[in-house]
Amino acid sequence: MAEMTPQADTARLSALFRPENLLATMMLGGGIALHAVETYITATLMPSIVRDIGGLALFAWATTIYVIASVVGSIYVAVRPAGVTLNRCYVWGAALFGAGSLICALAPVMEIVLAGRAVQGLGAGLLVTLGYAFIRFVYPEALWSRASTLYAAVWGIATFVGPSIGGIFASGSAWREAFLILVPIALVMAWLAPRRLPSGEDRQAATPAPFVQIALLLASAMLVSFAGSVTAVWLRGTLAAAAVAAVTAMVLAERRASARLLPAGAVNLSSALARIYLIMLLMLVALASDIYIPYFLQELHGVAPLASGYLVALLALGWTAAAFLTAGLTGRRAIASIAAGTLLEAVSTGLLVFLLARHNPQGDIVVLAAATVAIFGMGFGVGMGWAHLVTLVLRLAPDDEKDKASAAIVTMQALGTAFGAALAGVVANSTGLLDPGGIAGNVSAAGWLYGLFALPGLAAFSLAISLLRQRN
């Protein structure tokens, strides 16, 4: 197994765009960009889709089914049959993404949109996982951290680009064109994959599929998604508890199974790899509390909808800025950056208890400026550590399980986002958002939400400190 401390990395980010790396960088980053931009495009378009073809009751499932399908796609990369190369997976991922986009564009009813979103999500899961899996085949090791930094930056850029594109096509039935424009892009990427990407084939035998763990993982994602959408408090709590139970059962099954979903040691906290994955999960759970920031800005601080959307986008800008500023850190300094980032995220989230959870109808600029700094700090904290966490995963995973390790990164992203969003809904809806509602209810819900969601960041900080103390 590789050492935990990242090796010296003196390569510049610009090396990713040298002639020998340029096309691979565009394709791998482009696959992640398709997924990231589409996430924000669809979020912007959903109100228009519902107005045009109905299906309000299925509104939340457009995101839920996409996330669940992306988990399936990410898992396939790790358990694919022997002889199926990574570039062939890329072809399938791009083709499925294009096919799903076409189905959405032609859908006459919401149920068909959901079918298209499932196909899209499957392709997106493949593409994002392959972005990480291909790093070790496309670039020398000195560029692994730089590539991870670039991919993190893609998400920040998508936060601005996605809503802008969605807004252009948000009137009437023009939402269909927003899906259609993705089809030729995906097809070109599918055509280029076997011609411009290495095969990436690194094994001769098929990996047995861990069906029990996959079923439990998908069940947990479904349960937590239902928990975030139901109105009865007792039912929300029951579903959330069932989701936690499913994850616990998955971990127990993973420990005993011969066919594993995750790389060796990933479910044992004595392993550095397990703690790295858990830090990823906890950071994204805490970050998911951002889904309510625009709402509270509008309802409690009198901020206009468009302005609130761009204020929360500062979170992604913070992630991107931190990723670039800390990209050159190596060794213990890189791990210290992870620890500092988790603490910054926790503190910034906690500060919103005082800055966001208050009635400020006149939009006092001092309060809003401070809240803006805290929102930026949440993303900056994640950006300080994410690329280094990805690099550590790729280095720590056994050589014959690096595909599993890459897939698990995407799985942690999906689960962290899904669990965090659903739990945020449970907390907000149970602490005043619905009852009593109004200003008092919103203040109460915001206070509980950001107070509780600072805790995952603190837990991640504790785990990061244990990594910093670990001897190589």
Side-chain angles (χ1 to χ4, degrees):
M1 183 176 291
E3 291 183 350
M4 189 183 72
T5 304
Q7 300 169 6
D9 182 354
T10 58
R12 295 180 178 275
L13 189 67
S14 59
L16 297 174
F17 300 95
R18 290 174 182 164
E20 64 271 22
N21 295 325
L22 178 59
L23 196 54
T25 296
M26 292 179 64
M27 291 188 67
L28 300 181
I32 294 173
L34 275 182
H35 170 51
V37 172
E38 175 58 16
T39 298
Y40 293 105
I41 288 177
T42 303
T44 306
L45 291 176
M46 279 305 297
S48 299
I49 295 173
V50 168
R51 284 193 296 268
D52 191 34
I53 63 175
L56 180 60
L58 301 173
F59 190 101
W61 280 97
T63 297
T64 298
I65 202 165
Y66 182 83
V67 171
I68 291 173
S70 71
V71 171
V72 175
S74 70
I75 292 171
Y76 177 80
V77 175
V79 301
R80 69 189 190 277
V84 176
T85 60
L86 290 179
N87 61 8
R88 189 185 303 177
C89 286
Y90 191 101
V91 172
W92 294 346
L96 284 168
F97 191 91
S101 300
L102 183 61
I103 293 170
C104 290
L106 301 177
V109 293
M110 181 60 76
E111 288 78 2
I112 304 300
V113 171
L114 296 184
R117 289 290 284 165
V119 176
Q120 260 193 332
L122 190 60
L126 286 165
L127 291 175
V128 176
T129 303
L130 290 167
Y132 294 117
F134 261 120
I135 285 177
R136 68 187 191 279
F137 294 108
V138 172
Y139 307 112
E141 188 170 351
L143 284 176
W144 288 3
S145 178
R146 304 300 189 186
S148 300
T149 298
L150 179 66
Y151 298 163
V154 166
W155 284 93
I157 296 169
T159 304
F160 292 95
V161 175
S164 299
I165 295 175
I168 293 172
F169 294 97
S171 61
S173 294
W175 58 269
R176 299 182 185 276
E177 281 75 9
F179 287 108
L180 279 175
I181 61 174
L182 299 172
V183 177
I185 297 173
L187 292 180
V188 169
M189 292 171 70
W191 181 80
L192 285 173
R195 295 165 174 80
R196 292 293 182 265
L197 290 175
S199 66
E201 188 171 19
D202 58 346
R203 58 180 171 179
Q204 302 301 318
T207 300
F211 290 113
V212 172
Q213 297 96 302
I214 292 172
L216 288 169
L217 191 63
L218 296 181
S220 70
M222 294 285 286
L223 287 166
V224 79
S225 298
F226 276 120
S229 59
V230 299
T231 56
V233 174
W234 69 268
L235 184 55
R236 286 198 298 269
T238 300
L239 290 171
V244 172
V247 171
T248 302
M250 190 277 288
V251 170
L252 293 175
E254 180 76 2
R255 285 181 174 177
R256 300 168 183 170
S258 56
R260 288 182 289 101
L261 176 64
L262 303 173
V267 292
N268 186 345
L269 277 180
S270 63
S271 161
L273 190 60
R275 281 172 278 161
I276 290 165
Y277 280 131
L278 191 52
I279 290 169
M280 287 179 159
L281 181 71
L282 289 169
M283 291 180 84
L284 290 179
V285 166
L287 200 66
S289 61
D290 73 336
I291 63 174
Y292 282 100
I293 290 177
Y295 178 81
F296 290 133
L297 283 172
Q298 294 174 42
E299 296 299 316
L300 295 176
H301 298 265
V303 177
L306 181 61
S308 68
Y310 279 105
L311 281 177
V312 78
L314 289 173
L315 186 147
L317 183 62
W319 182 330
T320 303
F324 281 115
L325 289 174
T326 63
L329 298 180
T330 60
R332 287 180 61 83
R333 292 200 304 165
I335 300 172
S337 182
I338 295 171
T342 58
L343 183 60
L344 177 60
E345 182 190 25
V347 171
S348 298
T349 304
L351 284 174
L352 292 180
V353 173
F354 308 100
L355 300 172
L356 207 58
R358 60 191 297 171
H359 191 206
N360 176 34
Q362 303 304 317
D364 186 289
I365 191 64
V366 175
V367 174
L368 284 176
T372 298
V373 172
I375 293 168
F376 183 86
M378 290 172 67
F380 197 93
V382 178
M384 287 178 69
W386 190 262
H388 301 303
L389 290 166
V390 170
T391 303
L392 283 172
V393 166
L394 295 178
R395 285 179 174 145
L396 281 173
D399 289 340
D400 60 345
E401 293 195 313
K402 291 193 184 293
D403 287 342
K404 284 184 181 179
S406 300
I409 293 171
V410 181
T411 300
M412 292 303 116
Q413 281 185 293
L415 287 181
T417 301
F419 270 88
L423 290 174
V426 171
V427 171
N429 292 339
S430 303
T431 56
L433 191 68
L434 300 180
D435 183 19
I439 298 302
N442 288 336
V443 170
S444 173
W448 278 101
L449 178 64
Y450 295 105
L452 291 175
F453 270 68
L455 299 179
L458 292 176
F461 174 67
S462 177
L463 292 168
I465 289 298
S466 75
L467 291 178
L468 194 59
R469 291 173 175 168
Q470 182 169 322
R471 298 293 181 184
N472 297 324

